[in-house]
């Protein structure tokens, strides 16, 4: 999803992320995802400015959800030390505290950067029982390599072909 980096868009992005996680039945991830994406959007607004676009991407994997924010500024954000007297610069520390992992990378073409974080998919409780009283089998979750958001092409998507109407049947005498 692409957005302008306006403060009003942050609430919209939080609602979209929350709705998608609810649709995937991952309600336990809604709060940390909303906090993390709001912090990344605030960083883009604060450091890149409100004029440019940014893109938010959510990727569902078997063992985690990855949320990334891409903007047009190639400068990677500095990680600020956090402390009790620090009044700003704690956004990435907050993202780190609500996520399983996070990172950043410059776009290969120099046209911006991506900052991302992951949230682990909760494993179902193995003590749950099926309606017939037998223990429910829990699938094993093999760890996957850490994902990197896919680079996006700036080329417009190809247009869908126009629908073709079938000729009407000719009545037979």
């Amino acid at each position: 999803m692409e957005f302008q980096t306006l403060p009003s868009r942050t609430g919209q992005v939080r609602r979209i992320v929350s709705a998608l996680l609810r649709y995937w039945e991952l309600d336990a991830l809604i709060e940390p995802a909303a906090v993390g994406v709001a912090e990344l959007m605030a960083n883009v607004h604060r450091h890149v400015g409100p004029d440019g676009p940014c893109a938010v991407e959510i990727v569902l994997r078997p063992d985690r959800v990855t949320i990334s924010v891409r903007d047009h500024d190639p400068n990677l954000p500095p990680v600020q030390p956090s402390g009790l007297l620090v009044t700003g610069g704690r956004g990435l520390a907050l993202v780190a505290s609500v996520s399983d992992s996070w990172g950043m990378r410059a776009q290969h073409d120099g046209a911006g950067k991506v900052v991302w974080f992951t949230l682990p998919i909760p494993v179902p409780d193995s003590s749950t029982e099926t309606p017939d009283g037998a223990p429910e089998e829990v699938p094993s979750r093999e760890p996957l390599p850490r994902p990197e958001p896919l680079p996006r092409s700036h080329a417009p998507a190809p247009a869908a072909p126009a629908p073709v109407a079938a000729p009407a049947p000719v009545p037979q005498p």
Side-chain angles (χ1 to χ4, degrees):
M1 302 168 284
E2 291 203 17
F3 298 93
Q4 289 299 111
T5 56
L6 301 169
S8 60
R9 295 294 188 203
T10 300
Q12 182 182 18
V13 171
R14 285 175 59 116
R15 287 188 297 277
I16 291 169
V17 168
S18 297
L20 188 55
L21 291 172
R22 201 170 289 111
Y23 176 77
W24 287 335
E25 298 179 1
L26 296 172
D27 293 32
L29 301 183
I30 290 173
E31 187 59 29
V35 168
V37 77
E39 284 300 322
L40 295 184
M41 293 284 293
N43 282 350
V44 172
H45 176 72
R46 186 177 305 112
H47 299 291
V48 177
D51 298 358
C54 71
V56 177
E57 181 179 71
I58 304 170
V59 178
L60 175 63
R61 305 270 179 162
D63 65 337
R64 70 183 166 272
V65 172
T66 301
I67 300 174
S68 61
V69 176
R70 179 176 35 92
D71 63 57
H72 67 278
D73 182 7
N75 298 312
L76 297 177
V79 179
Q80 302 291 333
S82 60
L84 294 176
L85 301 176
V86 177
T87 60
R90 292 184 284 209
L92 291 176
L94 184 57
V95 169
S97 73
V98 300
S99 66
D100 191 42
S101 62
W102 72 277
M104 61 182 114
R105 66 175 174 79
Q107 293 286 76
H108 300 292
D109 60 2
K113 67 178 164 300
V114 175
V115 183
W116 57 267
F117 65 95
T118 64
L119 300 168
I121 302 284
V123 178
D125 182 6
S126 63
S127 66
T128 59
E129 295 185 359
T130 61
D132 65 1
E136 186 176 312
E137 191 171 318
V138 177
S140 86
R141 296 189 182 267
E142 295 293 323
L144 297 174
R146 182 174 293 162
E148 286 196 23
L150 298 174
R152 296 284 187 198
S153 167
H154 295 290
V164 177
V170 178
Q172 297 295 324

